[in-house]
Amino acid sequence: MSNPPSSSRPRIAVIGATGAVGREMLLCLEQWGYGQHPVRAFASPRSAGQQLPFAGRSLTVEVFDDAPTAKWMHQVDFALLAAGSSISKKIASAATSSGVILIDNSSAFRMTPGVPLVVPEINPDHLADLIAKRTAAAKQGSRIGGIIANPNCSTIILLMALTPIHKLATVQRAVVSTYQAASGAGAQGMDELALLTRQALDGNPLTPSFFTEPYAFNLFSHNSQMDVQTGANVEEQKMLDETAKIWASDDVRISATCIRVPVMRAHSESVNITLKSPTTLRDIRLALSSFPGIKIIDDRATNTFPTPLKASGGNDVLIGRLRVDRSQLPDPCATPTDDTPATGFDLFIVGDQLRKGAAQNAVQILAALAPA
Ligand SMILES: NC(=O)c1ccc[n+]([C@@H]2O[C@H](COP(=O)([O-])OP(=O)(O)OC[C@H]3O[C@@H](n4cnc5c(N)ncnc54)[C@H](OP(=O)(O)O)[C@@H]3O)[C@@H](O)[C@H]2O)c1
């Protein structure tokens, strides 16, 4: 514990403010009512002095100091981290000892025991311990630091849809195929998609530099590290491990295949689930529509369903293609209705992973700790 508590308006740092997630964090801070708070923007020396629009004014990008003696650690209350896991690991100890609460978008601490991994709509109770400690410290005129991890973007989007169904009838197993956008790989991923698409349309040879496969008019297995023994890549493993932590369950069965597709922004996921208890499509729709942060777009008559463009820039996770999985019915030739009890269902989920999958979720965590 150190430093006196700050004024009533928490001081906020966005670290990695010029990146794909950081820029979105500034938009979300404004949208969640932090526009008049003291907000500082940090990035690498490459971006020093750049001006970033924020709440009708302009923030000057400061060079981030990751030394344990850095002054900012005594000048901010919350740091939203979006500069990669090595930066998060480097500053965590000194920043938290100085009383800063880190809300970290990287994977550095997600699976660290004792670090809450939080989606506010799903497991806000995992913040209770830190909130209690901060409140107790504030009563003694001091402040206490800590780390809260933001889950992986594909995991957040998946769990926004599966959690209400899990509460209704227990998801025993999920088979997930992702269609992941360029923005999930940050500014460089987006630049590569735009550049290679131009190269392709101009009839030039495609020369990937950030990804190993050509990104234009193509798709490929997720670019995270592959475990050659299991055949699962890190993105797929994260979906399993992080779900178990968020749901506080040691019996999560998820088989994921993560694919990068040539979409600029917003991840899509096709999901097949097996439930423990039979339920109906009608009840699933009800459970989903009463869960915050979800919008159902599921008009079979007009073939209108979620798309990445519909989700881009929005706060909601979109769900559609809801249907009974006939292959899991006792008679797979039967024609199910909305009231047919079943344990197998399919759905298609789309969410803007820069928002709900990253920046927005982080700002929602901030709002749970320090309402604007
Ligand atoms: N993209 C997503 O959908 C997504 C979703 C969930 C989590 N995340 C995580 O969020 C983090 C940021 O991802 P991103 O997609 O926003 O990446 P990005 O677009 O590449 O942005 C990286 C940011 O980090 C800054 N940075 C790099 N080195 C730095 C340094 N030494 N000191 C200070 N700042 C530094 C960059 O500043 P400059 O502009 O000056 O280089 C930039 O602002 C990563 O940990 C990523 O895994 C991303």
Side-chain angles (χ1 to χ4, degrees), residues 15-23 42-48 50 61 63-66 81-85 87-88 104-107 110 150-153 182-188 238 267 353-354 357-359:
I15 298 164
T18 52
V21 174
R23 286 173 188 272
F42 292 95
S44 82
R46 288 180 290 275
S47 307
Q50 217 185 96
V61 176
V63 175
F64 184 60
D65 181 357
D66 60 13
L81 291 174
S85 55
I87 297 268
S88 300
D104 184 23
N105 269 261
S106 83
S107 57
R110 287 183 188 147
N150 219 46
N152 163 265
C153 47
S183 54
Q188 288 177 285
K238 281 177 185 171
H267 289 349
Q353 94 299 331
L354 287 177

Side-chain angles (χ1 to χ4, degrees), residues 305-324:
F305 301 110
T307 66
L309 285 182
K310 285 175 195 158
S312 290
N315 297 334
D316 291 331
V317 170
L318 312 180
I319 303 177
R321 297 300 319 276
L322 282 158
R323 61 206 188 274
V324 171

Side-chain angles (χ1 to χ4, degrees), residues 2 74 133 136 189 197 257 266 367:
S2 69
H74 305 278
K133 283 182 182 153
T197 304
T257 302

